Amino acid sequence: VGGKGTERPKWDNKVQYLLTCIGFAVGLGNVWRFPYLCQIYGGGAFLIPYVIALVFEGLPLLYMELAIGQRLRMGSVGVWNSISPYLGGLGVASMMVSFLVGLFYNMILAWVLWYFFHSFQSPLPWRDCPLNLNHTGYLTECEKSSPVNYFWYRKTLNITPDIETSGPLQWWLVLCLATAWCLVYICFIRGIETIGKAIYITATFPYLVLTIFLVRALTLSGATDGLVYLFTPNWETLKNPKVWLDAATQIFFSLSLAFGGLIAFSSYNPQKNNCERDALIVGCVNSLTSIYASIPIFAILGFKANENYNDCRNWNILKLTNAFNIGDENITLENYDDWLNHLNTTDPSEVESLSLKTCNLQTFLDQSASGTGLAFIVFTEAVIRMPGSQVWAVLFFVMLFSLGLSSMFGNLEGVLTPLLDLHMVPPWIPKEIFTGLICLTSFTVALIFTLGSGNYWLEIFNSYVGSMPLLIIAFFEIISVAYIYGINRFNDDIEWMTGRRPNIYWQATWRFISPFMLLVVFVAYVVIEAEKRPTYNAWNPDYVNFPLADVLHYPEWVFAICVLLSVLPVVSIPLVALYRFIGLLKKYIMNRHNPNPYANEFCNGDL
Amino acid sequence: MFEKIFFLLCLSTALAEQLCRPEASDGYRVRLSIKTALGDEAYVWNDNEMFLFRATLAFAMRNQISGQEFEVSNIIVCDETPRVSFWFVVTSPQNTSQLVDKESVEEAVRKSRNRINSAFLLTDKTLEFIGIPPTLAAPVNPDTPPWLIVFGLVMGAVGAGIIVLLASSVVQKKRKNDEKPDDEEIDEETRVKTVENSAASEGIYNRSFSDDERFTHM
């Protein structure tokens, strides 16, 4: 691998390497999935299964990936080929998953860019509904839902009512996607040489923005409601097994394990490097970032809930004021209850006819969202109510972009490094052109996400590629290192690299606890997914209960694609093993038929 | 004589009261939210303000129906509430017992809405004519959407960066190619040596001399 005279590229310094791993692990999920899970699973109580999953599943797998990458100094395909040629399929599976995830992940970044481009206007375009044709009112689709919803579903996605209607390519999304891929390309152009420079900014900038948001959010009214709501522990939820499953899967996906990216990054390290400390640093920083990010997010969501609650009550006040012709501003938020009681006693039928809304702060706080819903609907609504909205919007979307960009580096390295190590690249193609080809291919395939039905396809990719195959790959990874490579040999390697043998905690987790946990999580995941028939939420303005989501079933051909996406990456594991086995059989049969006493069976061809 | 005047006054107010009733066919309800709009600088609603309103509305009617000279007395107001809200009707200047029809009043208010609002330092939301929805302001549509400008800036910067990086790597390679003829002879010798060595050392790979590459036994 270092063979033909060109030295293997290496990190300029340790900080670059650590920042790149942290940047890969810390991604969009830390900001928009972890706070959501915390909220729906009883606040502070969720931290318990989360920390347990980190200690018994996340850290051991992380340490293992960093160690084998550093020891064997190859990308995922090379590493697993070295451990055992029958396991070469693991590397291929990692590479395929990295490629597929990179496709849709960058589409999300394209959406972030679209919102970023639109944050330089006053007023922000998602604040008001557009007018209808004869300027007498607002567009019905926008009036029924809300301006932020309309901007996301109609102006950004221009979404079709179901997945079967594809719609045309949305040119504005194609432009944003091209920009996103160009930005990724410029950082990725020479592999870790350029990534290492870019990472100083992309990995640290989100922390700066989160701190700014934290300071601002804590000064907003209603922030404390949001924080109390987030962190109040509800111990009852710990009895629900789904909480433990979600904690385990969250830790797993959050650390970006099984992508092959971490193996690729650590393969550029010098071999005598303390990867145990690296693993602990990366794992703990990732979890602490999740917790740190949830504070400003929830302060801001609390502020938004408070604003909605006040709007609701003010609507009631206005209704009462107009109906009873009471002086303007005589009824305030403070004396509303007194007035209501007084009016109820004097004229209950009139009050009844007004059909006042019941305003409950809890209901508004319960309106949780994760994923794109949090970033593009809930958060944008909060931002328009903050003074200086443009600044906060720009900061927020740049933060999301740099979080996602540093994760994209890991995805692409998980594709590039194995291809380079397998010498599948003709040497006359310079690295810059090859990385450009990877970006161009990914961009072309990702154009499906710019169709009208693109969001539905992205959800499919997210659920089916970015989940089950990773669990399977990780399970085989740890089994092969612990039992096929041999845990004792692995311990020797680590002792050689770090100077210390791994202690009993690592031994116990690598051998038994982590594989067992992964198996349980995988089985539970399959059982839960198989129980429910796959449905998706469609945005259909003609739906009877619009703006509620139209819940549709996937058509047969779409479901077949879902299954294909789950199976395709992992099918390479048995296929490669079978291929090698057939090769072995062929050689064995040949040797039986033509015994050649001079042949040495160790030197004939492939190893 | 005073009795006549008194009688006429009573008659006119009675007539006026008859003409102006809440939910009358040709009138509109007006609702003002002065405190909401102006906060601390809110003025008190009194008869003078009402006079201004009637005058403004007469002005609006004059603008709408040219030729007819509407006076303050043609705007009749009733049912004032502490909200501040009241009902008004417009009588024709030629015949004070006949009301101007609803559509003309609506047209007049719509046309002069801005002037009426600014006379009271209020907006469309705080000075409401119930039944006359305000014409919504047309959104400002710039020629180039601003997002395309930002997009152009970002793409331009990124494109320039890519070209610079590609150019610098081409330059680097040229420099390496110029140095290469010196190193080529040394390279050839080592290459020949490694070829010879690998031909002679077929057999079981001896691990004790190299730690870098690992092969598993099959």
Side-chain angles (χ1 to χ4, degrees), chain A residues 1 71 82-83 85 114 117-118 121 131 135 137 179 183 185 190 321-322 325-329 430 432 493, chain B residues 31 33-36 81-83 85 136-138 146-147 150-151 158 162 165-166 168-169 173 202 213-214 216:
Chain A
V1 139
R71 183 68 189 89
S82 302
I83 289 184
W114 166 261
F117 293 151
H118 278 83
Q121 301 172 5
L131 302 175
H135 286 211
T179 318
L183 279 165
Y185 177 52
R190 286 196 203 135
T321 312
N322 286 346
N325 284 317
I326 309 162
D328 185 24
E329 302 264 313
E432 290 84 352
D493 289 338
Chain B
R31 195 188 283 151
S33 311
I34 309 171
K35 266 198 221 147
T36 318
T81 68
R83 170 66 181 81
S85 76
L136 301 158
W147 78 268
V150 185
F151 162 75
V158 169
I162 291 179
L165 280 175
L166 286 176
S168 73
S169 61
K173 225 170 242 164
E202 280 190 7
E213 312 219 341
R214 299 277 213 137
T216 48

Side-chain angles (χ1 to χ4, degrees), chain B residues 56 59 63 111-120:
Chain B
T56 327
F59 160 78
N63 274 348
K111 267 193 187 168
S112 313
R113 188 63 186 266
N114 219 12
R115 301 293 297 271
I116 304 176
N117 284 350
S118 36
F120 290 94

Side-chain angles (χ1 to χ4, degrees), chain A residues 331-408:
Chain A
I331 309 183
T332 61
L333 290 172
E334 287 83 32
N335 58 23
Y336 170 71
D337 294 316
D338 299 328
W339 269 102
L340 187 62
N341 286 335
H342 169 77
L343 290 171
N344 244 336
T345 42
T346 47
D347 199 350
S349 53
E350 181 73 28
V351 174
E352 188 79 31
S353 67
L354 291 176
S355 41
L356 297 174
K357 298 181 187 169
T358 35
C359 298
N360 187 356
L361 183 60
Q362 201 59 28
T363 339
F364 291 113
L365 283 171
D366 281 337
Q367 283 169 0
S368 56
S370 76
T372 51
L374 177 71
F376 301 124
I377 297 179
V378 172
F379 207 81
T380 44
E381 193 183 325
V383 154
I384 48 183
R385 293 168 179 278
M386 292 162 69
S389 318
Q390 284 76 12
V391 172
W392 304 113
V394 167
L395 275 180
F396 179 65
F397 291 118
V398 175
M399 174 187 82
L400 283 187
F401 191 76
S402 44
L403 278 173
L405 190 65
S406 46
S407 299
M408 275 303 289

Side-chain angles (χ1 to χ4, degrees), chain A residues 238-289:
Chain A
L238 292 182
K239 296 186 192 155
N240 178 6
K242 195 149 191 320
V243 178
W244 296 87
L245 175 65
D246 272 337
T249 44
Q250 171 62 15
I251 261 295
F252 181 77
F253 300 135
S254 179
L255 284 171
S256 308
L257 300 165
F259 278 92
L262 289 168
I263 299 180
F265 287 146
S266 61
S267 71
Y268 297 115
N269 267 340
Q271 289 196 309
K272 299 265 193 187
N273 173 43
N274 189 355
C275 47
E276 177 178 3
R277 211 183 47 188
D278 298 340
L280 288 172
I281 291 177
V282 172
C284 293
V285 168
N286 180 53
S287 295
L288 288 173
T289 307

Side-chain angles (χ1 to χ4, degrees), chain A residues 131-142:
Chain A
L131 302 175
N132 59 16
L133 286 172
N134 44 10
H135 286 211
T136 53
Y138 300 113
L139 282 176
T140 23
E141 189 182 348
C142 186

